[in-house]
Amino acid sequence: MKKIMNNVDAVENEMVLGMVKAYPQYIKKLDCGNVVVRARKKEGKVALISGGGSGHEPAHSGFVGEGMLDAAVAGPVFTSPTPDQIYEGIKAIATDKGVFMVVKNYTGDVMNFEMAAEMAEMDGIPVKYVVTNDDVAVQDSLYTVGRRGVAGTIFVHKIAGAKAEEGAELEAVQAVAQKVVDNVRTMGMAIKPCTVPAAGKPGFELSDDEMEVGIGIHGEPGTHREPLKKADEIVDMLLEKILADIDYADSEVAVLINGAGGTPLMELFIVNNHVSDVLAAKGIKVYKTFVGNYMTSIEMDGLSISLLRLDDEMKKLLDAKADTPAFKA
C-alpha cells in the first residue's frame, strides 16, 4: 500500500483539520471528534446535518456552507460516526426551527443518526430526516437493508438546503427532500478498487481487462464483473438500469456524473458526452449537468451516473445560491 499520510490512525482527523484550515471562511471543527459546522451559524432557519464514514471527500464536509449543510459528521473511513458525535453536531447547529438530517441508507448510519435524533428530541430539539436510497444496482447489500444511498444524496443536500435557506418550516424541508429521494436514481461501476488505509490492501481485485458493475461507495464489490467495455457501452448499460426503474419520459432532469476519486475528468466528460446524447434521443431534456468528484470512494477508479427527475420547485431550488467549499451555485 502506498498512501501519502502520516499515521493510519490519524488520517481522518488530519484530513478534517486540513480542510478547516483551507476553508476557515466556510467551516470550523468542533472539539468532539470530526464534526464540522458552518463558520458562522445562521439562526432563523432549519439546520441541516449529514455525514457518514470518511473516504467520500468532498462529501460531506465540503458541502457545509450557505445553501446546503450546516454540519457534517465524519466517522472513520467507510464507518458511521457515533451517535454522540452526531448529537453534538445537532446541538451545535440547532435553531428554533429545528434540525433536518440527510442519512444515506447504510445500516450503521441509519441506526446512529436515529439514536442521535432521539437524544436531541429529549433536549427539546425538533428533528426530522430522510433516508436516501438512490442506488438501482442492488436491493440489499453487505451494508444495507434495501437500496444503498449513494451520489444522488448530493441533490438532497442541495435542494433541501436551499429550501431551508429560504426559511421554510421543518416539515416543508422534509417534504422536498423526500421528493428528491423519490425522483433520483444512480448506477455505478469501477475499473480499479480502492484501499482503506487501515486494511492495507484493496477491497477486491480486478484484472486489467475487467470492470465491476453496480459498485457501492465503500469499496464493496458490485453486482457482477465483466470484460471492460468502451465508454459509450458502459453508459448504455448504466442508463438502461436507471431508465428502467423510473419513468423519465418527457421529463426534465438534472444529471450528475460522479467520479469515484481516481477517475480523470477527461473520462468523466467522455461519459457525459454520451449520456447527453442518449437522453436527447429519448426525449429527456437535460436541465443542468454536474461533472466531477462529489461523493468518492478514496482512490477508486470508477464513476456513477445519477438522474433526478425535476419539477418547477426542484429546478428553482437547484438554481438557488450555494456557497460551500465543494459546491457553488
Side-chain angles (χ1 to χ4, degrees):
M1 178 182 70
K2 292 198 293 186
K3 297 226 179 241
I4 301 171
M5 62 182 187
N6 295 308
N7 187 310
V8 168
D9 296 329
V11 291
E12 297 91 354
N13 187 56
E14 291 182 352
M15 178 268 295
V16 171
L17 288 172
M19 182 177 286
V20 169
K21 290 172 182 175
Y23 304 109
Q25 70 273 35
Y26 292 103
I27 55 178
K28 62 182 180 181
K29 181 180 178 296
L30 301 185
D31 295 329
C32 52
N34 292 318
V35 183
V36 168
V37 300
R38 282 170 73 158
R40 289 174 292 279
K41 180 178 178 179
K42 184 172 180 179
E43 299 286 355
K45 66 177 284 293
V46 172
L48 267 69
I49 185 169
S50 189
S54 296
H56 304 304
E57 291 71 35
H60 300 80
S61 298
F63 303 122
V64 174
E66 181 181 358
M68 291 188 76
L69 301 177
D70 295 272
V73 190
V77 172
F78 297 163
T79 303
S80 175
T82 67
D84 286 345
Q85 289 176 300
I86 302 165
Y87 171 56
E88 292 298 329
I90 290 172
K91 288 195 299 181
I93 63 172
T95 71
D96 58 356
K97 282 184 171 286
V99 173
F100 185 70
M101 307 190 308
V102 181
V103 187
K104 297 184 302 302
N105 189 32
Y106 292 94
T107 302
D109 284 4
V110 173
M111 179 177 65
N112 291 351
F113 272 85
E114 285 181 343
M115 289 176 63
E118 291 172 2
M119 295 161 67
E121 286 172 339
M122 290 175 64
D123 287 340
I125 301 171
V127 180
K128 291 188 179 297
Y129 65 95
V130 292
V131 177
T132 65
N133 57 357
D134 50 304
D135 180 31
V136 299
V138 294
Q139 179 60 38
D140 298 296
S141 72
L142 296 173
Y143 294 81
T144 64
V145 175
R147 292 178 167 181
R148 303 175 291 203
V150 288
T153 305
I154 305 305
F155 286 132
V156 183
H157 292 164
K158 174 64 186 75
I159 289 173
K163 189 73 172 180
E165 204 77 41
E166 288 181 348
E169 299 301 323
L170 186 56
E171 292 76 10
V173 174
Q174 183 185 41
V176 79
Q178 187 61 53
K179 184 162 61 172
V180 178
V181 171
D182 293 340
N183 285 278
V184 65
R185 299 291 186 270
T186 301
M187 180 79 172
M189 56 77 63
I191 58 176
K192 290 181 183 177
C194 65
T195 298
V196 175
K201 61 181 181 180
F204 57 91
E205 294 183 1
L206 285 173
S207 63
D208 289 343
D209 62 347
E210 284 184 316
M211 64 180 182
E212 189 83 23
V213 181
I215 202 74
I217 58 171
H218 296 96
E220 71 268 41
T223 56
H224 67 284
R225 61 186 56 177
E226 57 182 82
L228 181 62
K229 291 180 167 59
K230 293 182 178 180
D232 286 0
E233 294 176 282
I234 293 171
V235 167
D236 290 339
M237 176 177 57
L238 299 183
L239 280 181
E240 181 181 14
K241 186 86 170 178
I242 293 170
L243 295 173
D245 198 77
I246 195 171
D247 184 9
Y248 290 95
D250 301 319
S251 298
E252 286 186 276
V253 298
V255 177
L256 173 62
I257 310 298
N258 177 63
T263 309
L265 278 171
M266 173 188 285
E267 295 173 21
L268 297 181
F269 284 122
I270 289 170
V271 165
N272 185 62
N273 178 55
H274 192 54
V275 169
S276 180
D277 290 346
V278 171
L279 296 179
K282 292 181 178 295
I284 301 171
K285 182 179 178 181
V286 176
Y287 180 75
K288 186 163 286 191
T289 300
F290 304 89
V291 179
N293 288 329
Y294 290 86
M295 185 172 287
T296 62
S297 303
I298 316 181
E299 82 282 24
M300 183 180 287
D301 192 346
L303 61 97
S304 64
I305 300 170
S306 299
L307 297 185
L308 170 62
R309 183 173 56 182
L310 296 165
D311 63 11
D312 288 342
E313 181 186 30
M314 286 190 282
K315 286 194 291 184
K316 175 189 171 187
L317 295 170
L318 194 61
D319 288 341
K321 181 180 179 181
D323 189 13
T324 76
F327 195 112
K328 301 181 190 303

